[in-house]
């Protein structure tokens, strides 16, 4: 008892001038570990506990010979005080192979233990990203085994999570929302603007996240953390970095990457640069001939001609190039403040949209050309962190960001001289203020505010490729601005050691102003301007019950919303054969209501089970429906009589399903990990009947058998997806026979598929390592659901990394 009292008293003096602090952190990720315990073996009851920065005062333990450092989900360490001193009072803990607990950031924007959260969050750590060796950030998400990826072209990748996709999912980069005012309901490829070589950590937050992230976070949040500058811990300059080179055979990929860090005690600089060249993608040899690419369109002697492809397994017009750079500068004047500036830049070459190039009309190609111009993304970000306990806050983070987006669409019909070019530029400005305050030992609040402003500029021209004449054409969007202002509050209450609750609320007001004047010469619109101003209140309530360290039960209820953006309200575009979508200035927000139950348990010392079951109801869903324009149900669009449709709050939808994870640690070297995802979605069709949801992917999953021994890591994995039968295909997808196959009845469907894959990495020494793999070993020929691109066939990958 005397020692307990002594420890408590001395801990209260931890702010004293001579206090010795110990930092406990995740050895792989470098993140501070909150609530880690530090104790001596003879008196475990008098443990010292790290704060939210992973720091604890260990003055009471001076001179001790055996000090245990432990955090739930990590392998404990026993060190003497002298050994801690030799390590500069910093201890990195290694995560257990099977663990219920992990450090996450995306749930509240602050690092905290997942044991407190009623949410399902999947984390991809640095070592996993490096080992999986993804070509793009879309492939990185797909490597999780819990995100389904659709691809219309090789320069793309549209994630599907829990029956939602595109602008019903949110992308965050270093805490900044990437979603902008023209994120569409059709498939998106913006995620590939992120450089997988520069990503340190990815968190996939499943389910509604609107309380923290606002509009669009209905199905989930994909939060990416990029390379961080590192300060020197002594008077010597810290210089480190790495170089990486990779080759892949299926598309003759050649990628190069270099990053470096220069750190002093108060300043640090981090730079990264990557370049990738992807050739035409080769499909597999084992599968249906319906997927072959037997022809392409070439312009010969000023005439469009259909040319036979002598190698139909090679998907012509699928190659592209990409360049990325990242620059960060950190200034930390003292223990309370740090300032970080970041510059992100990404650009691609032109790349063809393959699913539009394989469409036919009257047995002839519909398009001679259909390609995206360079996809350009620029972000400037200033982040300020203040860590000092005050009446209103323990930690404060301010993020100011400016983003520029540019994208364009270029299309020309077969045998037509008119090339239509539509270019969009978005300037996005945002302010996020996030605050953490611990009210008491068992109460924490997270609160903050957000302001977002998007300016949209759209232009359209038509070029006669024969004469060179250029004329104005209809814009894809009106000239518009989109604004959002929000405040939020999240309260965490740890009732006791076993039970935690979380309650969150957010009020969001948004304003959309659109000017359609530029398009009045092209379409008989009965309005010139539109304005929308309204608010949304969303909330969440969750509970976590931990009867023991081997069990975690969770229950979560939440709502989310998606405010209409400029793409919803004002877009004019060709959505398919003889269909044109026109503006609807009367749109309102759509709301989602979600319930989720989950459990995670360790069954003995070798098995881990993780299960989540969910149901989401979407009200006032924004979906495309037939409409009239000045009383007409059809208008001329690009010279073709097309049915008029618009995005309307015309339906409701629901999605339900479950996610299952089962891990088996066979022994100290072998681990078998399995993930399985099943979902079903329903939405109202145009005729008022209920049909399958477009973005509810078929069942899919991954099984991985891995082996680790010192510097060697090997993995054999199986990836698979179920079929989507004709009767289960969404009504919009039924009209896209060119990307599906025919069943025995002659109806379109999406077949099941699987791939068997092998990956390996070997650390040659402290500086050099090798990654090698063989994907799709059996050379399967298949398309993933809703994709225009046929997936890669057998693919050999070799990467070499040097570190200094």
């Amino acid at each position: 008892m005397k020692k307990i009292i002594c420890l408590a008293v001395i801990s209260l003096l931890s702010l004293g001038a001579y206090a010795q602090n110990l930092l406990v952190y995740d050895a792989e990720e470098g993140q501070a570990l909150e609530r880690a315990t530090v104790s001596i073996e003879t008196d475990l009851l008098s443990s010292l506990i790290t704060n939210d920065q992973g720091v604890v005062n260990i003055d009471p333990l001076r001179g001790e010979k055996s000090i245990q450092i432990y955090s739930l989900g990590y392998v404990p360490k026993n060190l003497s005080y002298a050994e801690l001193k030799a390590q500069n009072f910093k201890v990195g803990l290694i995560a257990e192979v099977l663990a219920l607990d992990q450090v996450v950031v995306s749930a509240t924007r602050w690092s905290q233990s997942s044991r407190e959260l009623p949410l399902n969050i999947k984390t991809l750590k640095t070592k996993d990203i490096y080992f999986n060796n993804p070509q793009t950030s879309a492939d990185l998400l797909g490597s999780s085994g819990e995100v389904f990826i659709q691809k219309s072209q090789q320069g793309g990748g549209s994630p599907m999570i829990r029956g939602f996709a595109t602008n019903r999912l949110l992308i965050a980069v270093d805490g900044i929302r990437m979603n902008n005012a023209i994120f569409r309901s059709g498939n998106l490829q913006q995620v590939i603007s992120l450089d997988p070589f520069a990503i340190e950590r990815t968190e996939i937050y499943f389910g509604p996240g609107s309380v923290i992230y606002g509009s669009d976070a209905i199905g989930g949040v994909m939060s990416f953390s990029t390379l961080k500058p590192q300060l020197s811990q002594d008077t010597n300059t810290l210089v480190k970095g790495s170089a990486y080179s990779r080759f892949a055979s299926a598309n003759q990929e050649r990628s190069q990457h270099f990053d470096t860090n220069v750190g002093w005690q108060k300043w640090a600089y981090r730079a990264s640069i990557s370049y990738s060249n992807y050739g035409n993608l080769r499909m597999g040899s084992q599968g249906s001939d319906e997927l072959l690419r037997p022809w392409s369109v070439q312009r010969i002697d000023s005439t469009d001609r259909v040319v036979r492809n002598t190698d139909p397994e090679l998907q012509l017009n699928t190659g592209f190039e990409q360049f990325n750079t990242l620059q960060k500068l950190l200034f930390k004047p003292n223990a309370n403040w740090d300032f970080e500036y970041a510059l992100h830049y990404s650009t691609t070459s032109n790349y063809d949209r393959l699913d539009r190039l394989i469409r036919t009309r009257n047995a002839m190609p519909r398009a001679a050309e259909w390609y995206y111009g360079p996809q350009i993304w620029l972000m400037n970000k200033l982040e300020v962190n203040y860590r000092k306990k005050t009446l209103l806050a323990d930690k404060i983070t301010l993020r100011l960001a400016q983003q520029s987006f540019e994208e364009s669409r270029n299309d020309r019909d077969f045998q037509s001289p008119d090339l239509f070019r539509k270019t969009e530029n978005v300037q996005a400005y945002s302010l996020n203020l996030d605050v953490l305050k611990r009210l008491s030992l068992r109460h924490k609040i997270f609160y903050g505010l957000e302001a977002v402003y998007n300016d949209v500029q759209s232009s359209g021209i038509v070029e006669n490729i024969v004469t060179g004449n250029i004329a104005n054409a209809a814009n894809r969007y009106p000239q518009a601005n989109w604004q959002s202002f929000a405040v939020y509050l999240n309260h965490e209450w740890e009732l006791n050691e076993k039970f935690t609750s979380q309650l969150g609320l957010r009020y969001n007001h948004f304003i959309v102003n659109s000017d359609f004047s530029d398009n009045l010469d092209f379409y008989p619109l009965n309005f010139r301007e539109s304005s929308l101003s309204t608010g949304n209140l969303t909330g969440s309530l969750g509970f976590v019950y931990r009867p023991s360290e081997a069990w975690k039960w969770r229950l979560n209820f939440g709502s989310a919303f998606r405010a209409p953006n400029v793409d919803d309200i004002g877009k004019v575009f060709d959505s398919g054969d003889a269909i044109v979508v026109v503006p609807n200035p009367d749109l309102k927000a759509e709301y989602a209501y979600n319930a989720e139950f989950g459990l995670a348990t360790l069954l003995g010392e070798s098995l881990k089970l993780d299960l989540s079951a969910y149901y989401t109801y979407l009200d006032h869903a924004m979906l495309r429906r037939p409409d009239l324009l000045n009383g007409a149900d059809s208008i001329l669009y690009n010279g073709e009589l097309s049915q008029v449709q618009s995005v309307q709050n015309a339906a409701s939808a629901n999605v339900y399903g479950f996610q299952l994870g089962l891990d088996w640690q066979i022994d100290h070297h072998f681990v078998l990990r399995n993930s399985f995802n099943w979902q079903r979605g329903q939405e109202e069709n145009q005729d008022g009947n209920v049909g399958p949801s477009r973005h509810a992917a078929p069942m899919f999953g991954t099984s991985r058998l891995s082996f680790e021994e010192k510097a060697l890591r090997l993995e054999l994995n199986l990836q698979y997806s179920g079929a989507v039968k004709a009767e289960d295909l969404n009504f919009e997808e039924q009209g896209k026979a060119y990307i599906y196959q025919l069943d025995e009845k002659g109806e379109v469907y999406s077949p099941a598929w699987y791939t068997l894959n092998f990956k390996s990495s070997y650390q040659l020494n402290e500086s050099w390592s090798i990654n090698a793999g063989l994907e799709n070993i059996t050379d399967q020929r298949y398309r993933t659901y809703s994709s225009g691109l046929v997936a890669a066939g057998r693919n050999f990958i070799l990467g070499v990394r040097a570190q200094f």
Side-chain angles (χ1 to χ4, degrees):
M1 178 59 72
K2 289 182 179 179
K3 190 157 191 175
I4 296 175
I5 295 173
C6 181
L7 287 175
V9 170
I10 296 178
S11 295
L12 292 174
L13 302 177
S14 61
L15 296 178
Y18 300 100
Q20 180 56 63
N21 290 335
L22 174 71
L23 171 65
V24 184
Y25 63 96
D26 183 307
E28 295 173 344
E29 301 298 304
Q31 291 194 335
L33 295 179
E34 183 181 3
R35 300 178 66 87
T37 61
V38 182
S39 59
I40 55 176
E41 293 182 357
T42 56
D43 197 356
L44 296 177
L45 294 177
S46 54
S47 299
L48 305 174
I49 300 175
T50 59
N51 61 18
D52 56 9
Q53 297 181 49
V55 174
V56 62
N57 174 253
I58 60 168
D59 278 342
L61 306 181
R62 287 183 183 272
E64 292 289 346
K65 301 298 184 184
S66 179
I67 300 172
Q68 184 183 75
I69 301 100
Y70 171 74
S71 184
L72 186 62
Y74 290 82
V75 179
K77 280 190 175 181
N78 282 281
L79 300 168
S80 68
Y81 188 88
E83 288 172 322
L84 292 176
K85 184 177 181 180
Q87 297 180 191
N88 294 319
F89 296 100
K90 296 176 183 178
V91 175
L93 298 182
I94 298 174
E96 293 177 343
V97 176
L98 304 180
L100 299 185
D101 192 33
Q102 61 179 335
V103 176
V104 296
V105 178
S106 59
T108 61
R109 294 181 178 269
W110 297 101
S111 295
Q112 64 183 131
S113 169
S114 62
R115 71 188 298 274
E116 307 164 0
L117 302 171
L119 308 167
N120 182 14
I121 297 177
K122 172 76 172 183
T123 300
L124 298 174
K125 298 183 178 182
T126 303
K127 71 170 188 177
D128 299 317
I129 296 172
Y130 170 67
F131 181 75
N132 288 321
N133 215 2
Q135 288 194 346
T136 69
S137 290
D139 297 330
L140 186 158
L141 292 167
S143 71
S144 69
E146 298 187 52
V147 178
F148 193 91
I149 301 297
Q150 180 277 350
K151 289 190 177 183
S152 297
Q153 63 279 328
Q154 192 174 192
S158 188
M160 298 183 184
I161 298 177
R162 290 190 171 184
F164 296 100
T166 63
N167 54 15
R168 291 183 179 130
L169 301 176
L170 189 129
I171 303 171
V173 184
D174 290 339
I176 303 297
R177 63 178 288 136
M178 193 182 197
N179 293 41
N180 63 46
I182 62 171
F183 265 42
R184 58 190 181 273
S185 58
N187 297 311
L188 286 168
Q189 59 264 5
Q190 270 73 9
V191 74
I192 72 162
S193 290
L194 303 176
D195 180 8
F197 290 115
I199 294 173
E200 282 191 340
R201 180 185 180 91
T202 301
E203 293 181 9
I204 305 164
Y205 175 135
F206 296 97
S210 282
V211 168
I212 301 298
Y213 292 95
S215 179
D216 304 358
I218 290 179
V221 176
M222 295 158 285
S223 178
F224 297 89
S225 298
T226 59
L227 296 172
K228 298 178 179 63
Q230 295 181 24
L231 296 167
S232 174
Q233 301 302 315
D234 51 41
T235 56
N236 296 318
T237 301
L238 172 66
V239 179
K240 58 185 294 188
S242 69
Y244 190 76
S245 182
R246 181 177 63 209
F247 167 80
S249 63
N251 56 2
Q252 297 297 298
E253 178 213 8
R254 291 170 176 83
S255 290
Q256 315 295 329
H257 167 79
F258 176 78
D259 67 80
T260 186
N261 182 94
V262 181
W264 298 271
Q265 289 183 301
K266 292 186 177 183
W267 292 86
Y269 171 71
R270 192 77 183 256
S272 167
I273 186 170
S274 301
Y275 170 77
S276 295
N277 186 307
Y278 307 97
N280 291 325
L281 184 65
R282 178 171 295 279
M283 64 182 73
S285 61
Q286 305 300 309
S288 171
D289 288 349
E290 294 178 71
L291 302 180
L292 294 173
R293 181 86 158 95
W295 55 266
S296 65
V297 175
Q298 296 182 22
R299 194 158 181 84
I300 302 173
D301 296 330
S302 300
T303 303
D304 292 333
R305 301 182 186 275
V306 179
V307 178
R308 177 175 172 269
N309 183 6
T310 58
D311 186 358
E313 292 179 358
L314 188 65
Q315 298 176 85
L316 300 178
N317 311 109
T318 56
F320 76 105
E321 299 173 64
Q322 182 163 342
F323 171 80
N324 287 79
T325 186
L326 167 67
Q327 314 285 322
K328 288 187 177 182
L329 182 65
L330 172 66
F331 174 51
K332 190 177 180 65
N334 53 51
N336 296 331
W337 290 92
D338 65 66
F339 303 82
E340 182 186 273
Y341 166 75
L343 168 68
H344 298 254
Y345 178 77
S346 172
T347 185
T348 69
S349 62
N350 294 343
Y351 53 95
D352 288 358
R353 181 169 172 179
L354 187 63
D355 62 339
R356 293 300 176 98
L357 293 177
I358 61 178
R359 294 187 301 173
T360 59
R361 180 168 50 198
N362 300 323
M364 295 297 288
R366 176 169 175 174
E369 299 180 71
W370 211 119
Y371 63 91
Y372 290 103
Q375 179 173 292
I376 302 173
W377 172 61
L378 169 72
M379 181 169 76
N380 290 282
K381 188 197 76 164
L382 175 65
E383 180 173 317
V384 181
N385 291 288
Y386 180 65
R387 302 177 182 86
K388 187 174 182 181
K389 292 186 178 181
T390 65
L391 180 64
L392 297 178
D394 293 343
K395 293 195 291 186
I396 302 173
T397 295
L398 173 67
R399 296 181 179 94
L400 302 171
Q402 176 271 330
Q403 298 180 79
S404 297
F405 301 85
E406 180 179 317
E407 59 185 57
S408 62
R409 294 161 178 80
N410 308 268
D411 67 281
R412 182 174 65 85
D413 284 351
F414 186 68
Q415 300 293 18
S416 170
D418 294 330
L419 175 62
F420 289 87
R421 301 182 185 274
K422 298 180 185 293
T423 302
E424 282 69 57
N425 287 277
V426 178
Q427 297 296 318
Y429 306 89
S430 62
L431 179 153
N432 291 88
L433 181 68
D434 299 298
V435 182
L436 181 154
K437 177 62 180 177
R438 181 177 287 279
L439 302 177
S440 66
L441 183 63
R442 299 194 180 276
H443 291 270
K444 281 193 296 188
I445 58 172
F446 311 88
Y447 65 96
L449 57 86
E450 178 185 68
V452 179
Y453 179 87
N454 282 195
D455 179 73
V456 178
Q457 298 294 317
S458 183
S459 64
I461 61 171
V462 56
E463 176 186 353
N464 187 305
I465 64 170
V466 176
T467 67
N469 291 336
I470 296 176
N472 289 329
N475 302 338
R476 180 177 172 88
Y477 296 114
Q479 313 311 316
N481 60 71
W482 185 92
Q483 305 167 57
S484 172
F485 307 95
V487 293
Y488 76 89
L489 172 68
N490 200 52
H491 173 239
E492 181 181 302
W493 180 16
E494 188 174 0
L495 283 79
N496 53 48
E497 293 294 326
K498 297 183 178 181
F499 196 85
T500 302
S501 69
Q502 283 206 356
L503 173 66
L505 289 172
R506 180 188 183 102
Y507 177 76
N508 216 117
H509 193 88
F510 63 90
I511 302 169
V512 188
N513 297 307
S514 304
D515 183 348
F516 297 88
S517 300
D518 292 348
N519 276 348
L520 294 180
D521 292 336
F522 302 97
Y523 304 113
L525 302 178
N526 53 11
F527 48 87
R528 179 178 294 272
E529 298 178 343
S530 73
S531 183
L532 179 63
S533 177
T534 188
N536 307 94
L537 182 67
T538 53
S540 63
L541 176 63
F543 305 95
V544 178
Y545 176 57
R546 302 172 298 274
S548 69
E549 289 191 1
W551 282 90
K552 175 183 173 181
W553 300 80
R554 52 187 176 81
L555 182 65
N556 195 49
F557 303 95
S559 62
F561 75 97
R562 186 171 76 83
N565 63 18
V566 176
D567 182 88
D568 301 309
I569 292 174
K571 177 170 59 181
V572 179
F573 83 115
D574 161 25
S575 72
D577 292 331
I579 294 173
V580 61
V581 176
V582 300
N584 176 10
D586 299 320
L587 273 177
K588 302 291 187 292
E590 59 185 12
Y591 292 88
Y593 304 93
N594 180 79
E596 178 177 346
F597 164 79
L599 68 88
T601 182
L602 296 176
L603 303 172
E605 297 182 355
S606 59
L607 284 175
K608 176 188 173 183
L609 173 68
D610 199 331
L611 174 67
S612 297
Y614 57 89
Y615 175 86
T616 304
Y617 176 75
L618 187 65
D619 196 18
H620 296 96
M622 289 184 269
L623 299 169
R624 293 201 299 263
R625 292 293 181 262
D627 204 351
L628 300 176
L629 187 60
N630 290 333
D633 62 3
S634 299
I635 63 171
L636 282 175
Y637 180 79
N638 286 356
E640 181 179 12
L641 187 65
S642 301
Q643 180 195 36
V644 173
Q645 293 188 358
S646 67
V647 177
Q648 305 171 28
N649 297 108
S652 61
N654 64 77
V655 178
Y656 53 92
F658 68 89
Q659 295 169 279
L660 176 66
L662 182 62
D663 298 343
W664 176 25
Q665 185 174 1
I666 301 171
D667 59 25
H668 293 299
H669 300 294
F670 287 95
V671 178
L672 178 63
R673 300 185 186 273
N674 302 276
S675 63
F676 180 80
N677 304 265
W678 182 91
Q679 52 271 309
R680 285 289 182 271
Q682 296 178 318
E683 62 184 47
E684 294 180 37
N685 294 337
Q686 294 181 4
D687 56 10
N689 295 321
V690 174
S693 174
R694 176 186 176 188
H695 290 135
M699 71 88 172
F700 67 98
T702 305
S703 293
R704 308 174 188 273
L705 178 63
S706 62
F707 169 87
E708 287 192 56
E709 170 61 26
K710 297 181 180 178
L712 177 66
R713 181 177 177 184
L714 306 174
E715 179 182 285
L716 183 67
N717 71 63
L718 175 70
Q719 299 181 26
Y720 56 89
S721 171
V724 180
K725 298 178 181 178
E727 60 268 26
D728 295 328
L729 204 59
N730 173 265
F731 75 95
E732 290 184 30
E733 297 299 293
Q734 291 173 9
K736 302 175 183 176
Y738 50 89
I739 64 171
Y740 291 104
Q741 295 176 230
L742 299 178
D743 63 15
E744 63 277 3
K745 298 179 182 178
E747 298 178 326
V748 295
Y749 84 115
S750 179
W753 57 266
Y754 79 92
T755 62
L756 187 65
N757 314 280
F758 173 76
K759 293 181 180 294
S760 66
S761 69
Y762 184 71
Q763 189 75 37
L764 298 171
N765 52 44
E766 291 184 358
S767 300
W768 292 90
S769 60
I770 295 177
N771 268 42
L774 187 62
E775 298 177 339
N776 195 358
I777 295 172
T778 58
D779 208 27
Q780 298 298 300
R781 182 188 299 157
Y782 67 98
R783 268 198 189 105
T784 60
Y785 166 71
S786 192
S787 294
L789 185 74
V790 180
R794 186 180 294 118
N795 186 27
F796 172 71
I797 300 171
L798 178 64
V800 179
R801 186 184 191 190
Q803 294 175 287
F804 62 90

